[in-house]
Amino acid sequence: MEDQSTTVTARTKQVEEAPTNWTWVEPTIWTDRMLEALQRGVKGGKWFSLIDKVWREATLIKAWEAVKANDGAPGIDEITIAEYERHIEPNLKRLSNKLKEGTYVPRAVRRTWIDKPGRAERRPLGIPTVEDRIVQTALKLVLEPIFEREFFRHSYGFRPQRGAKDALRRVDGLLKDDHRWVVDADLKSYFDTIDHDLLMEMVEEHISDGRILDLIKAFLQADVIDKGKSTSPERGTPQGGVISPLLANIFLNPLDHLMAVKGFEMVRYADDFVVLCQSEEEAKAALETVQGWVDAHRLKLHPEKTKIVEESKGSFDFLGYCFKRGMKFPSKKAKRRFL
């Protein structure tokens, strides 16, 4: 893993860049007093008492509204959004009591498979039950601001007030600024290979509430039902879970900081990222740094899809677009998934 001085330097720099615009947070959870504590930093950098904000009925109502707006298929219990809504008040009250008493246990995740744009292989998608999606959303409402304060400014995926267009503009700008040597990296099966122990260590750097940590572990370890067969995951965070994108960003955040403190221009959208350099030597050094971090964190770079490209002579794909010789156009290998 990265050395201690590098980690401290990068995180110190990020605290100085901590966002001040918190208009997107849920005000029933993140009061002015809590936001002040978030902005200045809590003692020891850890939050100790958060579970009461998850099981609070006002939080669960906001979480339910978000789940309902997103719609989606039923989970393993086959309860639809409409069916859950028929008895919404007693359902949320019962759920609140289970969370408060510590008797809530996530159900198994129903696995389905979806096509990858422009590829022959398929992507596994995990569908939690409606109730589990509510709890995950409540968790996200509570936890996201804490980690948003730590996230690096050049990661753009699944974050408030950021998106793929911002990432593409950043890549465009770096190319125009003569960063034409590009490390086009591909993490092999990233969401399926995230190490649970390492992930929890990263979460525990900022969260000390044992009930919150137990909830996250329970979601990570929930059984997966695929065509009637049940398996217990030892690695990964299921795509389709509400909390999964946040956890995936938490896991890659140290890499963002490491690359920045070493002077590399990395642009990341979830598990898709490129490093833009001004020379071949810099690109090779950047790839070596990425490879070292990936190995230390028990991930893998795809050997056939990871490469160094000189953009003036070759091309690379990023977020559904192909960049080639100063031009950007929709990639033939992928649909425009994000725009």
Side-chain angles (χ1 to χ4, degrees), residues 21 40 45 61 65 80 110 112-113 131-133 139 144 148 160 218 222 228 243 247 258 263 278 283 287 299 312:
N21 181 2
R40 69 172 179 265
I61 290 171
E65 291 172 352
T80 65
R110 180 170 67 86
T112 187
W113 295 83
E131 190 155 273
D132 288 342
R133 299 205 293 270
L139 260 179
E144 188 170 37
E148 215 16 69
I243 199 73
L247 296 177
L258 175 64
Q278 292 184 311
L287 179 54
L299 299 173
S312 62

Side-chain angles (χ1 to χ4, degrees), residues 31-58:
T31 62
D32 289 343
R33 183 178 178 182
M34 282 189 67
L35 286 176
E36 288 174 8
L38 180 65
Q39 192 63 34
R40 69 172 179 265
V42 293
K43 185 177 180 180
K46 293 191 175 186
W47 293 77
F48 287 88
S49 182
L50 295 169
I51 189 64
D52 61 307
K53 295 164 182 60
V54 174
W55 56 250
R56 188 181 298 161
E57 287 190 44

Side-chain angles (χ1 to χ4, degrees), residues 49 79-80 109 121 125 157 171 176 185 187 197 213 218 271 320:
S49 182
I79 296 176
T80 65
V109 173
E121 66 258 42
L125 188 68
V171 171
K176 291 173 182 175
L187 289 171
D197 291 337
L213 297 174
D271 59 328

Side-chain angles (χ1 to χ4, degrees), residues 281-296:
E281 292 73 21
E282 183 186 356
K284 288 179 178 178
L287 179 54
E288 183 178 352
T289 300
V290 170
Q291 184 69 70
W293 189 92
V294 165
D295 290 344

